[in-house]
Amino acid sequence: MLSIFGSVHILAVVAIQLLIIPSVSSLNLTNAYLHHKCNNTEGKYSYGSAAFEKYINLALRAMDSDNFLNGFGFIERGEDPNKVFVMYQCRGDSYGSKCQSCISAAVSGLRRRCPRNKGAVIWYDQCLFEISTINSFNKIDYENDFYLSNPKNVNDKELFNKETSALLVELTNKATDKNNMVGNQFVLYAAGEKRIGTKNVYAMVQCTKDLVTTTCAACFEWIFKMFSKCCDGKRGGRVLGTSCNFRYELYPFLRN
Ligand SMILES: *[C@@H]1O[C@H](CO)[C@@H](O)[C@H](O)[C@H]1NC(C)=O
Ligand SMILES: *[C@@H]1O[C@H](CO)[C@@H](O)[C@H](O)[C@H]1NC(C)=O
């Protein structure tokens, strides 16, 4: 696990801007690059590799045709040993064209940062994009996680931690409720807010939609263990994996 100091500075700058700029609506909805990881164990495609070009392009074309309506896609292309799995998940408030624009930033960002890698993942505020040679459908990836937090603390740390955790648990229960479906797909996402002392806390939790509710719940259980490391008394924090994530802030950061 790692903390990303560069991004922490970005968050601090955003937080400061929120204080001094009266109209913050555009700032709430940032789509910052957060983090990426190139998996060098999975190897690299050779230059001009026909399989790479063919299957990656087929996968990207399949993504284009699904309109990003669900904000999620899992695409498998190619034949062994050149299988390509592409997964994308947009944040719960980001679908259609908003999801598509995040994914296109992610695709080019990943190509630049992990050129020719067969396995790689990239996180933005509003989406996650992953390529792999291994099928990870409905499997929790315990190896890729990181956290970001606002360097500033709240005053009433104990109460704040307790109530923020309770809000996250409440959202988790909602997200993993097996009756919480749209069509035949689990929602696996919940957002909400709560008054804690003099502050409003805004929060969300989300799993990737390849998971079933029980797997999603197990994933949340895992990332919540990092709450104290990430978020102890912090004014904002998030823990992100490739299978699930949570975030809370003292300002609204989602579309209504
Ligand atoms: C942005 O934040 C401001 C105040 O912090 C809030 O009034 C506004 O509703 C937010 N906008 C969105 C789109 O979340
Ligand atoms: C990288 O890929 C290998 C399999 O090729 C996998 O076992 C390992 O978990 C991956 N590492 C990360 C950090 O995802």
Side-chain angles (χ1 to χ4, degrees):
M1 191 164 81
L2 50 146
S3 70
I4 297 162
F5 297 105
S7 301
V8 169
H9 289 306
I10 293 166
L11 289 185
V13 170
V14 171
I16 289 159
Q17 284 171 341
L18 283 167
L19 295 174
I20 58 178
I21 298 171
S23 169
V24 294
S25 49
S26 58
L27 283 170
N28 298 356
L29 292 169
T30 49
N31 189 33
Y33 155 79
L34 301 177
H35 186 44
H36 74 278
K37 196 150 168 193
C38 318
N39 186 336
N40 291 319
T41 316
E42 286 193 70
K44 290 201 168 205
Y45 292 98
S46 53
Y47 279 111
S49 154
F52 172 73
E53 289 305 327
K54 185 173 158 203
Y55 297 129
I56 286 281
N57 286 334
L58 275 172
L60 295 180
R61 224 173 296 143
M63 271 168 49
D64 259 350
S65 64
D66 84 358
N67 294 321
F68 298 87
L69 283 178
N70 292 321
F72 168 78
F74 189 97
I75 298 145
E76 175 183 347
R77 286 288 182 276
E79 315 273 325
D80 281 328
N82 291 310
K83 277 225 161 122
V84 174
F85 298 90
V86 173
M87 183 177 80
Y88 68 87
Q89 176 68 65
C90 285
R91 200 172 65 187
D93 65 329
S94 184
Y95 35 82
S97 61
K98 286 160 192 115
C99 177
Q100 182 161 21
S101 64
C102 187
I103 296 301
S104 59
V107 169
S108 51
L110 199 64
R111 276 190 158 157
R112 198 169 62 247
R113 289 179 167 99
C114 303
R116 301 186 293 111
N117 270 90
K118 294 183 178 181
V121 57
I122 192 163
W123 291 263
Y124 282 69
D125 267 338
Q126 296 186 33
C127 67
L128 162 87
F129 179 79
E130 185 177 22
I131 59 168
S132 179
T133 56
I134 297 155
N135 187 351
S136 62
F137 198 87
N138 194 29
K139 287 199 194 91
I140 301 170
D141 166 11
Y142 288 108
E143 285 188 59
N144 294 291
D145 59 276
F146 65 102
Y147 65 85
L148 298 164
S149 55
N150 190 312
K152 291 209 179 107
N153 287 310
V154 296
N155 299 325
D156 45 356
K157 213 165 141 174
E158 307 282 294
L159 175 76
F160 185 81
N161 285 344
K162 187 170 149 260
E163 295 291 314
T164 304
S165 307
L167 172 60
L168 290 169
V169 167
E170 187 189 307
L171 294 176
T172 302
N173 291 338
K174 205 161 147 189
T176 57
D177 180 345
K178 62 181 178 359
N179 298 315
N180 187 3
M181 298 183 89
V182 169
N184 59 1
Q185 208 162 30
F186 295 121
V187 172
L188 306 181
Y189 165 78
E193 62 181 275
K194 183 182 190 177
R195 189 121 192 117
I196 301 177
T198 56
K199 300 175 183 70
N200 265 345
V201 176
Y202 301 84
M204 59 149 275
V205 302
Q206 185 174 29
C207 288
T208 54
K209 283 190 181 170
D210 58 310
L211 304 190
V212 297
T213 51
T214 47
T215 321
C216 177
C219 190
F220 285 139
E221 202 173 304
W222 169 59
I223 57 167
F224 285 157
K225 287 194 186 127
M226 292 171 231
F227 182 88
S228 56
K229 203 164 183 174
C230 150
C231 309
D232 183 26
K234 301 292 180 200
R235 296 177 68 91
R238 36 181 146 170
V239 176
L240 298 102
T242 65
S243 305
C244 65
N245 70 88
F246 72 79
R247 179 180 181 186
Y248 72 89
E249 304 285 353
L250 296 181
Y251 57 87
F253 57 91
L254 301 167
R255 295 176 188 88
N256 289 318

